[in-house]
Amino acid sequence: MQFSSLLIEEAVNAFASLPGIGKKTALRLVLHLVQQPPSESVHFAQAISTMRANIQHCTTCGNLSDQHVCSICRDQRRDQSLICVVESIRDVMAIEETQQYRGLYHVLGGVIAPIEGVGPSDLNIDTLVQRAQHPEAREIIMAISPTIEGDTTIFYINRQLESVDVAVSNIARGVSFGGELEYADEVTLGRSIVARTQL
Amino acid sequence: MQFSSLLIEEAVNAFASLPGIGKKTALRLVLHLVQQPPSESVHFAQAISTMRANIQHCTTCGNLSDQHVCSICRDQRRDQSLICVVESIRDVMAIEETQQYRGLYHVLGGVIAPIEGVGPSDLNIDTLVQRAQHPEAREIIMAISPTIEGDTTIFYINRQLESVDVAVSNIARGVSFGGELEYADEVTLGRSIVARTQL
C-alpha cells in the first residue's frame, strides 16, 4: 500500500499492529478519524494512553483494576467465602454478565500448557492457595474451559488445595440450554448422561 | 457489557466508536494493549493524535497531505497536463497502486447524490474547473464509480468544462481482466459489446 502522507502511513501502521486489523481496515479507521472533528481523535488517543498508564492488576485476585484492589474484591456485599477461579479477565466479565454469581474471583492468567511453555509457576496459583487458607474462604469454584489443558490445571490446583480446609467444585458440564440434543457433540452428550443429576 | 474498571470501559468505548468495531472486538483490542508494554500504547495513541493534529487537505487537489501541497502535486516528474478526477483519497491510493498513471489527481470528496443531500457545491468542482483552465492542463480523466450518482457527477462536470479548452475522458468500462465472461453481469457485458474497441 502506497501512502502520499507519512502521517497517514504511521497511523495506519499503528492500527494494523493490533490483532485482527489489516492494512485496509486500518486505513478505513484512519480515514474515519480524519473525517471527524480533531477533538474526537484527541479523546480517542487519550482514552487509550490514560488506560494503559493507569491500569493495574488487582493484588488480590489478578483482575484488571483502576486501583490497587479491584472493585469486585472491594465490594463488601459480595460473598467473601466463595472464590471462582477463571483463566482470564474476559471470563470474569462473562460470569458477571450472567448475574448469577455474587462471590469473588481469582484470575489465573491462563492454563497449564506445557507445549506452549506455560507451567504452574507462570500462573497465579500460589496466591490462590494463600487465599484459600483464609478462614473466611469456604469454597473454591473452578470455572475453567473444559479442555485438556483446563482439566490439567483443575487437577493441579485441586492437588495443591488438598491440605487446605476448603471445598473445591467444578462448574456443571453438559448440554447447552436451548440447544437441540441431536446437535450436541458426542463427548458432551455422553458425559451429560454419565453425570446426570437427580430431579 | 459490565466492566470492573472504568479505564477499560472508556478505552473499549473509544474503540467501539470506530466504524465496524463492536464492543467485543474493542475489548479484545484493549486487552491486547494491556498485555503489551506501555510504550506500545503510547506509540499507538501518539500516532493517532499526531496524524489528526497535522494532517491537511492539499490546497491544489484535495488529497490528504502532510504539507500545504501534497507530495503528488509537488512531484515535478509527474505529467502536469493530466488530471485524474476521483471521488476519494482511497481512489487515489488504488490508482497509485496500479503504477499505470503518472499524472496529477483531483479529489472531489464524493459524488453528486441529491437523496443524501450532496449537491455540486459540496464537492471540489470549482477548483477543478480552475485547474482545467490552466494552460498546462490538456486532459481531464474521469475515474468515478460507474453508478447513477457517479454518472450524474461526470455529466455535470463535463458540462462545466464545455467552455474550457481541455479534453475530457472516462476510464474504460467493460469486463474485468481474468474474470469468466459467463459470470460478468448483464449490464457490464452488454455495454462492453456496444463499446467494443478496434483491435
Side-chain angles (χ1 to χ4, degrees), chain A residues 110-127:
Chain A
V111 283
I112 298 170
I115 297 166
E116 289 162 38
V118 181
S121 58
D122 299 314
L123 306 175
N124 294 328
I125 294 178
D126 291 347
T127 50

Side-chain angles (χ1 to χ4, degrees), chain A residues 1-4 24 27, chain B residues 63 72 78 82-108 140-145 169-172:
Chain A
M1 212 179 261
Q2 290 178 24
F3 298 90
S4 58
K24 288 216 167 180
L27 177 64
Chain B
N63 190 9
I72 294 176
R78 297 186 80 111
L82 294 176
I83 297 171
C84 180
V85 182
V86 294
E87 285 174 53
S88 77
I89 296 129
R90 236 174 291 203
D91 299 332
V92 172
M93 291 180 65
I95 295 173
E96 282 296 283
E97 209 78 4
T98 68
Q99 305 194 326
Q100 296 290 317
Y101 179 69
R102 294 297 298 164
L104 305 178
Y105 291 94
H106 194 85
V107 182
L108 292 179
I140 309 292
I141 302 165
M142 308 298 285
I144 309 282
S145 299
S169 60
N170 211 354
I171 58 166

Side-chain angles (χ1 to χ4, degrees), chain B residues 46-152:
Chain B
Q46 228 155 37
I48 307 298
S49 52
T50 309
M51 180 278 294
R52 191 60 189 88
N54 297 304
I55 200 75
Q56 31 193 316
H57 285 277
C58 170
T59 49
T60 306
C61 74
N63 190 9
L64 284 178
S65 171
D66 298 357
Q67 295 175 40
H68 211 52
V69 175
C70 80
S71 59
I72 294 176
C73 289
R74 270 185 281 128
D75 189 349
Q76 287 300 320
R77 287 166 305 173
R78 297 186 80 111
D79 188 341
Q80 308 287 319
S81 68
L82 294 176
I83 297 171
C84 180
V85 182
V86 294
E87 285 174 53
S88 77
I89 296 129
R90 236 174 291 203
D91 299 332
V92 172
M93 291 180 65
I95 295 173
E96 282 296 283
E97 209 78 4
T98 68
Q99 305 194 326
Q100 296 290 317
Y101 179 69
R102 294 297 298 164
L104 305 178
Y105 291 94
H106 194 85
V107 182
L108 292 179
V111 284
I112 298 171
I115 298 167
E116 290 162 37
V118 182
S121 57
D122 298 315
L123 306 175
N124 295 329
I125 294 178
D126 292 347
T127 49
L128 173 64
V129 175
Q130 280 168 32
R131 289 181 76 188
Q133 285 163 344
H134 194 281
E136 219 173 359
R138 217 180 62 225
E139 184 177 353
I140 309 292
I141 302 165
M142 308 298 285
I144 309 282
S145 299
T147 58
I148 294 172
E149 289 87 358
D151 282 346
T152 308

Side-chain angles (χ1 to χ4, degrees), chain A residues 1-2 4-6 14-15 19 28 32-34 36 41 44-45 48 52 55 63 66 71 93 97 99, chain B residues 1-2 4-7 14-15 19 28 32-34 36 41 44-45 48 52 55 63 66 71 93 97 99:
Chain A
M1 212 179 261
Q2 290 178 24
S4 58
S5 152
L6 194 67
F15 270 117
R28 193 162 50 79
H32 167 83
L33 287 175
V34 170
Q36 305 298 313
S41 296
F44 176 81
I48 307 299
R52 192 59 190 88
I55 200 75
N63 191 8
D66 299 355
S71 58
M93 292 180 64
E97 209 78 6
Q99 305 195 325
Chain B
M1 212 178 257
Q2 290 178 24
S4 59
S5 152
L6 194 67
L7 291 165
F15 271 117
R28 193 161 49 79
H32 167 82
L33 286 175
V34 170
Q36 305 297 314
S41 296
F44 176 80
I48 307 298
R52 191 60 189 88
I55 200 75
N63 190 9
D66 298 357
S71 59
M93 291 180 65
E97 209 78 4
Q99 305 194 326

